[in-house]
Amino acid sequence: MENKYDLIVVGGGALGTFHAYHAIKKGLKVALLEKDGKPQGATVRNFGQVVPSGMDSKWQLYGRESLAIYKSIQSKFDISVRQEGSIYIASNEEETQLLLELNAINLANAYPSKLLTQGECLEKYPGLRSDYVKMGLFFPEEIMVEPRLMIGRLQDYLRELGLEIFFNKTVIECNALTNWVQVHSTDNTTLSGTKVIICNGSDFKNLYPNKFAESDLIVSKLQMMQTQPQPNYKLPSSVLTGLSIRRYEAFAECPSYSAIKAKENHESLEKKWGVHILFKQAADGSIIIGDSHEYAPASRIEELGIDLNMDIDHFILQEAKKIFDLPTYRIQNRWYGLYSQCKSADIYQRTIDRNIHIVTGIGGKGMTGSAGFAKENINSIFNLQDA
């Protein structure tokens, strides 16, 4: 009986772990299975910015719920949350117009934001170039985490709440029985659960190849890098810049967005490589800079290659230096991340035999949206209500 659970979650990234968190909070007995010794995917390969401000109206609500969840957990257990806010910096009149419009939308949605003049931006952000910035829009509620620390600490916290975690368990089969689902791993471990939620990215192809083949999942490859620790330098919040304003979904809801996008040069390098420039200071004082977006169908992920494209990195650094004069741009680490997303939906969800739920393809919304989305999804799957 000790191997029977109310819920088995397959996949130990943010999306799977937050499903486990909400199930535990509802008093359910939960097991989490992760194929590696610790998560290796998109959850640990991103900036660690939790920015509901960049999301469309639907996902901003999930993101705002996520903010509350992160902060609540942080008040009980250190998962590396820092509430330092986020700022979008406009570089021209078009981007300034979009900031003005988004600020008005935020006001209507009761999501706090504050416009900053050019002078206020220059005073607050050391090294910000005066020939770049025209205006800023600051979001005080937003947070950052250290992604390579956060997920492990969150799982440590959930163990204290009763979660059972099994690392190095690659699930190879899920069998739906009358009242249970049996989950089998490569080392002959068998667990049984009333419900199974599969949150292992595009790896679900190994369990359900036909469902995977029918899906419209694509994979995005993102390149980013980390400077050496900056001497005597403090970046007071996450920084998102003009190319972010032109890319993020929240701005697509602004009245001027379509007309501004229609005038863009679609042959530019930032379009070719999906580049927008972000800055985030890590806990050790280094600055993480990125990123890029190259796409391929999930069934042909090998087209993205295993190498870092140094032309992309050079372009990112070239553009970053137009925005900030940092004490040093010496790079100590470079890496890429992969995440899956749907072409036709904001997340991929399929239910098999009533009790097996595939939830993946959350795209770049994972760190920001997973906690809030998982809360609603657990309530839906188990027909529960919030207290």
Side-chain angles (χ1 to χ4, degrees):
M1 290 296 294
E2 65 271 13
N3 283 341
K4 288 192 174 182
Y5 300 87
D6 298 307
L7 173 65
I8 297 172
V9 179
V10 179
L15 188 58
T17 302
F18 276 116
H19 274 88
Y21 167 78
H22 290 296
I24 287 285
K25 293 281 285 184
K26 294 292 185 179
L28 303 178
K29 184 180 180 184
V30 184
L32 176 70
L33 280 68
E34 164 57 43
K35 66 180 177 63
D36 295 309
K38 58 183 179 180
Q40 299 291 308
T43 295
V44 299
R45 297 182 183 220
N46 63 79
F47 281 86
Q49 296 174 330
V50 182
V51 285
S53 56
M55 294 182 162
D56 64 25
S57 297
K58 173 184 174 180
W59 280 88
Q60 187 188 95
L61 292 177
Y62 290 136
R64 291 166 67 172
E65 181 68 26
S66 294
L67 287 177
I69 291 164
Y70 276 114
K71 293 173 187 178
S72 174
I73 295 171
Q74 180 67 27
S75 70
K76 305 175 184 72
F77 195 99
D78 181 11
I79 59 169
S80 79
V81 168
R82 291 180 284 153
Q83 184 176 335
E84 298 186 1
S86 306
I87 190 169
Y88 295 79
I89 297 177
S91 67
N92 57 37
E93 291 182 2
E94 291 178 338
E95 293 158 9
T96 296
Q97 180 64 29
L98 291 173
L99 290 190
L100 292 170
E101 292 173 0
L102 187 64
N103 186 56
I105 292 171
N106 294 329
L107 183 63
N109 292 340
Y111 188 49
S113 62
K114 180 183 179 182
L115 290 166
L116 300 181
T117 66
Q118 180 189 50
E120 289 171 328
C121 290
L122 291 170
E123 182 178 358
K124 183 173 182 177
Y125 292 89
L128 180 60
R129 291 179 59 101
S130 60
D131 57 352
Y132 181 85
V133 59
K134 297 294 184 287
M135 179 179 282
L137 183 60
F138 182 68
F139 292 84
E141 296 296 316
E142 298 188 339
I143 65 171
M144 60 181 73
V145 299
E146 299 301 300
R148 299 182 187 185
L149 294 176
M150 186 281 293
I151 194 66
R153 291 184 181 179
L154 176 60
Q155 290 168 351
D156 289 342
Y157 173 62
L158 295 187
R159 281 196 188 93
E160 294 185 1
L161 299 184
L163 176 66
E164 296 184 37
I165 305 181
F166 300 84
F167 290 109
N168 297 305
K169 299 287 184 185
T170 300
V171 175
I172 55 174
E173 192 173 12
C174 294
N175 294 325
L177 307 177
T178 303
N179 296 313
W180 297 92
V181 179
Q182 284 193 329
V183 174
H184 306 279
S185 67
T186 49
D187 63 353
N188 295 318
T189 298
T190 298
L191 304 179
S192 297
T194 304
K195 304 280 188 183
V196 172
I197 299 177
I198 298 170
C199 300
N200 60 352
S202 57
D203 284 349
F204 85 88
K205 67 183 177 184
N206 299 318
L207 289 170
Y208 297 101
N210 291 336
K211 293 292 182 187
F212 179 78
E214 294 167 1
S215 75
D216 64 349
L217 286 173
I218 59 175
V219 174
S220 180
K221 179 181 180 181
L222 303 87
Q223 291 186 196
M224 56 204 80
M225 64 198 86
Q226 183 179 25
T227 72
Q228 292 184 344
Q230 300 288 328
N232 302 312
Y233 181 83
K234 172 63 177 175
L235 189 64
S237 74
S238 294
V239 175
L240 305 96
T241 63
L243 292 177
S244 306
I245 294 170
R246 294 172 178 274
R247 181 178 180 87
Y248 274 10
E249 294 170 348
F251 294 94
E253 299 182 353
C254 294
S256 299
Y257 183 80
S258 295
I260 290 172
K261 291 292 284 185
K263 294 188 291 183
E264 290 183 350
N265 176 12
H266 295 279
E267 303 302 319
S268 64
L269 291 179
E270 60 263 27
K271 290 294 184 183
K272 175 182 177 181
W273 291 321
V275 168
H276 65 133
I277 308 299
L278 311 175
F279 301 83
K280 177 224 171 172
Q281 191 160 35
D284 68 354
S286 62
I287 301 288
I288 300 174
I289 305 169
D291 58 2
S292 59
H293 299 77
E294 298 176 279
Y295 298 95
S299 59
R300 302 200 304 273
I301 192 172
E302 70 279 356
E303 293 178 4
L304 294 173
I306 62 173
D307 298 317
L308 290 169
N309 183 332
M310 296 310 297
D311 288 339
I312 293 177
D313 276 12
H314 291 154
F315 179 72
I316 289 173
L317 284 175
Q318 170 188 302
E319 295 304 303
K321 290 175 181 178
K322 296 176 183 177
I323 303 170
F324 272 96
D325 291 324
L326 296 177
T328 179
Y329 270 97
R330 293 186 65 184
I331 301 301
Q332 64 174 345
N333 291 313
R334 303 175 189 265
W335 67 93
Y336 71 84
L338 298 171
Y339 64 66
S340 61
Q341 65 186 62
C342 287
K343 292 176 67 175
S344 60
D346 51 9
I347 192 167
Y348 179 90
Q349 293 181 274
R350 294 293 183 274
T351 297
I352 299 168
D353 295 324
R354 293 182 300 115
N355 294 320
I356 303 171
H357 304 272
I358 303 172
V359 186
T360 187
I362 195 171
K365 305 182 293 293
M367 190 63 80
T368 298
S370 289
F373 172 81
K375 179 178 180 179
E376 178 181 284
N377 202 37
I378 285 293
N379 287 344
S380 174
I381 289 172
F382 285 92
N383 295 313
L384 299 171
Q385 300 293 325
D386 287 327

